[in-house]
Every structure is written in structure tokens, then in C-alpha cells.
Amino acid sequence: MALNKKGSRRITVDGIEYRWRIRRKPSYMQGLCWTPMTYAVEAASGSQPGTTLIVTSGQAHPSNWVGVETEPIRPAHVAASIREARGQGWDPTRVGSPFQLDRSAGFIAQS
């Protein structure tokens, strides 16, 4: 699965270029702040799409429907997530199922 280029941002981590993207509209569960926001990362180079990294953040989606304040996902957070996933075995050039990285420790669902 390849990311849409529209709306994605580029980042270089340890000499490798990646693209990352946050879903513009929250899912139903994210809109109600029942689940944390996720974003996707993939290698920007190469003609064949590789494995996508799906990062579950520890905060609510900024477009949530209940007015919960959020902090923006910064490139430093994305870079740290990429390094952590690479350390856990994510290979962005290999074809396969999306690699899940859960960084949601401390997320408190709203009721």
C-alpha cells in the first residue's frame, strides 16, 4: 500500500528519505477520542512500494469532535518513531503487511 503523495511530508532520517502523512479527517473512534491518532510512514525512494509503517501516537487527533486539545506531531516525533521501528525490525524496502508501532502509552480515552 502506497501513501498518497498529496498531503504527505518528506523527512530524512539517517540518510534515508521517507514520506509521512496524517489522515486529514479522524476516524469515528478518533473523532470521539476513544482511540489515539495514527500516521503512516514509507520510504520515499524506489519504484516499488515497500512496507508501510503505521504509528499509533499517544494523543488525540487534532480534528476531534469533542474539543480535546492536542499537540502537533512534529518531525522530531516522526524521526524518533522511524528509528524505533527500524530498531524493532521494520524494513521499508521489503514488501509485506504494514508494520505497527504503538507509542500510545499514557493515552486516556475520553468518555
Side-chain angles (χ1 to χ4, degrees):
M1 176 176 114
L3 287 179
N4 287 334
K5 288 186 180 181
K6 184 175 182 177
S8 68
R9 298 182 64 187
R10 289 185 176 267
I11 186 170
T12 302
V13 178
D14 301 330
I16 302 171
E17 192 168 5
Y18 300 92
R19 287 187 300 128
W20 63 283
R21 185 174 188 275
I22 296 172
R23 181 178 169 157
R24 187 168 180 219
K25 294 182 181 180
S27 68
Y28 182 78
M29 300 288 280
Q30 291 171 348
L32 293 173
C33 295
W34 292 346
T35 59
M37 174 178 54
T38 60
Y39 59 92
V41 181
E42 71 177 10
S45 61
S47 59
Q48 296 287 357
T51 303
T52 302
L53 169 64
I54 305 297
V55 180
T56 303
S57 71
Q59 59 193 33
H61 194 285
S63 297
N64 68 73
W65 308 325
V66 293
V68 173
E69 293 289 324
T70 64
E71 290 288 321
I73 296 291
R74 301 192 187 282
H77 296 130
V78 177
S81 296
I82 290 170
R83 288 185 181 106
E84 184 177 342
R86 294 298 304 259
Q88 292 181 16
W90 175 53
D91 182 359
T93 61
R94 183 171 296 171
V95 178
S97 299
F99 188 92
Q100 303 286 332
L101 179 64
D102 189 352
R103 300 188 87 195
S104 65
F107 178 78
I108 300 172
Q110 303 296 310
S111 51

